[in-house]
Amino acid sequence: MNKLMINRIFGILMILGIFAFFSVTLLAADDFSERMVPEPPGIKVERWVENLEIPWSLVFLPNNRALVSERPGRIRLIENGILREEPYAILEVTHIGEGGLMGLALHPNYPEEPYLYAMHTIQGAKGLVNRIILLRDQGNRAVFERVIFDNIPGGRNHNGGRIAFGPDGMLYVTTGETYQGDLAQNLDSWGGKILRFTPDGKVPDDNPFPRSPVYSYGHRNPQGLAWHPETGDLFSSEHGPSGEQGWRGHDEINRIIPGGNYGWPIEIGTHQNPAFIGPIVFWQNSTPPTGMTFFRKDLFVASLRSQALLRIILEIKDGNYQVKEIERWFASGPSAGRFGRLRDVVEGPDGNLYLLTSNRDGRGRPQPGDDAIWRLIFP
């Protein structure tokens, strides 16, 4: 019996067993303190770069240089805080809905290995797909090298799109289920997953499913990746339902376990079925979390509709993570933030945080200079 057949049988048995013996229960979020912090004390804020078009991902290079992706298909070079007019690279992408150019990641041995990875949407023979490509850095520009991985399900919405190298030197990729919930439970599909590759695009020998890039599954639209600085554990942010099966809200932060099933589209919130792994925190109301990073031991998460930079203070008890408190920085209300929609937050080499807005994505209200990258200077 080949691998594809085994995976299909496993997925069918899981779904049938779950539907036969368990039902979905909506539970309240964990008991934690959450408060608005419109002006975080001691934090100086300055506009670092402006006049971008839907920036999605930011990576830093040596020598005061950085790269930012714009969803219509451009990678822009920033030198000493100045945005170069000529693009670093222009990619042929299908910019439709939430699709287009999304995540960027540098080779873990950069600049000795002068490569940049990018994830983007294209029109395939049978519809929209996402792929991961490799670009070679040539100083002020980059050239296409090759496709690393292809035929990830794509769509107008729910493309995932975050890529990042972990402390193990492996490339992690978040993928959405493109509003086809059954893909998330199908181990033969790359949609609704977190995938894991070697830097050359091969499947690592220690992946949880033999000869498969799937690292975890049962995801709806995972948008962020971050590793705990002390434990090395992987965390991911995920968008909850927006009407499917009558469900709304329930955006999540998850600790990712290799081979873990996170329940979509069968359960949301605190799972009753022990076959599923529940989130460390979820919100009943819409708080779509996106890019995130650990910074000074806390988890900082950008958010879209809620327009806040979330500071999540975690503590570890008996090997489990618990949310102690959540602060909504730069926000005065549930959808009232100083900078509008936020796509990503990244720690810079200067020890400060950089915050990307997403106000020109068709769902926001652009402010003067949008879209922008803001630098948060810490004392």
Side-chain angles (χ1 to χ4, degrees):
M1 186 177 294
N2 60 34
K3 168 186 169 291
L4 293 178
M5 186 173 293
I6 291 172
N7 282 345
R8 288 193 182 102
I9 292 173
F10 176 81
I12 291 170
L13 290 175
M14 281 288 295
I15 293 174
L16 288 177
I18 290 163
F19 276 117
F21 296 104
F22 296 92
S23 61
V24 175
T25 302
L26 302 185
L27 300 179
D30 291 339
D31 184 17
F32 56 85
S33 170
E34 185 167 14
R35 62 190 179 95
M36 302 291 175
V37 184
E39 298 290 340
I43 306 301
K44 179 182 177 181
V45 179
E46 64 181 23
R47 193 193 303 264
W48 191 55
V49 171
E50 61 183 6
N51 297 322
L52 295 167
E53 186 175 6
I54 319 175
W56 217 94
S57 182
L58 174 69
V59 295
F60 286 92
L61 308 174
N63 302 319
N64 296 316
R65 302 164 80 232
L67 298 171
V68 59
S69 61
E70 294 178 307
R71 206 164 64 189
R74 293 176 297 271
I75 302 175
R76 308 291 299 278
L77 176 62
I78 303 166
E79 295 180 305
N80 297 309
I82 299 174
L83 181 70
R84 288 181 64 97
E85 183 175 352
E86 181 181 357
Y88 174 81
I90 299 177
L91 305 180
E92 293 184 6
V93 309
T94 301
H95 178 213
I96 181 171
E98 296 174 357
L101 176 57
M102 297 170 287
L104 300 178
L106 282 181
H107 193 287
N109 295 326
Y110 184 93
E112 289 76 14
E113 299 282 350
Y115 297 113
L116 174 72
Y117 298 74
M119 183 171 175
H120 70 90
T121 311
I122 61 169
Q123 182 68 44
K126 297 182 179 180
L128 295 174
V129 296
N130 291 302
R131 68 180 186 177
I132 305 161
I133 63 171
L134 189 67
L135 302 166
R136 177 185 287 270
D137 176 34
Q138 294 188 334
N140 291 334
R141 70 186 191 97
V143 295
F144 173 80
E145 185 83 4
R146 63 187 176 92
V147 176
I148 289 291
F149 195 75
D150 208 347
N151 293 319
I152 299 170
R156 292 184 60 91
N157 299 297
H158 296 192
N159 291 289
R162 190 68 56 191
I163 62 176
F165 279 95
D168 57 0
M170 298 297 167
L171 180 65
Y172 292 76
V173 178
T174 71
T175 70
E177 35 75 288
T178 66
Y179 268 122
Q180 302 177 71
D182 59 319
L183 297 185
Q185 291 293 322
N186 182 356
L187 289 173
D188 293 332
S189 170
W190 312 137
K193 309 291 191 299
I194 294 177
L195 309 178
R196 180 174 180 259
F197 300 95
T198 65
D200 58 2
K202 296 180 180 179
V203 175
D205 292 336
D206 60 348
N207 267 14
F209 302 102
R211 298 177 296 281
S212 171
V214 173
Y215 191 72
S216 63
Y217 65 112
H219 299 290
R220 181 177 179 269
N221 190 26
Q223 288 272 299
L225 295 168
W227 285 264
H228 194 283
E230 296 178 353
T231 66
D233 289 333
L234 173 60
F235 289 75
S236 179
S237 61
E238 184 166 339
H239 291 185
S242 54
E244 300 98 310
Q245 304 181 64
W247 298 333
R248 292 190 178 276
H250 290 79
D251 302 301
E252 301 178 347
I253 303 295
N254 289 298
R255 176 192 176 188
I256 302 302
I257 306 298
N261 184 347
Y262 288 80
W264 183 257
I266 300 165
E267 286 191 358
I268 60 173
T270 302
H271 298 310
Q272 301 303 292
N273 185 346
F276 299 143
I277 300 173
I280 63 168
V281 62
F282 70 91
W283 294 270
Q284 295 279 14
N285 297 321
S286 180
T287 305
T290 53
M292 61 187 196
T293 187
F294 277 97
F295 179 74
R296 299 187 179 182
K297 297 185 178 182
D298 297 329
L299 182 60
F300 283 82
V301 187
S303 69
L304 292 166
R305 183 176 178 181
S306 62
Q307 301 183 10
L309 176 61
L310 307 174
R311 180 193 179 201
I312 302 177
I313 302 171
L314 298 171
E315 58 183 5
I316 305 175
K317 289 186 177 180
D318 301 324
N320 296 315
Y321 292 91
Q322 296 181 1
V323 175
K324 185 177 180 181
E325 185 179 15
I326 296 179
E327 297 175 347
R328 290 178 177 253
W329 284 20
F330 310 112
S332 57
S335 297
R338 174 177 174 183
F339 305 117
R341 293 165 61 84
L342 305 177
R343 175 62 66 179
D344 199 11
V345 58
V346 180
E347 182 179 359
D350 58 359
N352 295 308
L353 289 180
Y354 290 75
L355 193 58
L356 281 63
T357 71
S358 189
N359 292 320
R360 295 177 63 186
D361 63 1
R363 298 175 178 175
R365 297 180 178 180
Q367 303 175 24
D370 273 340
D371 275 313
I373 303 175
W374 294 87
R375 177 161 60 184
L376 313 183
I377 303 175
F378 285 70

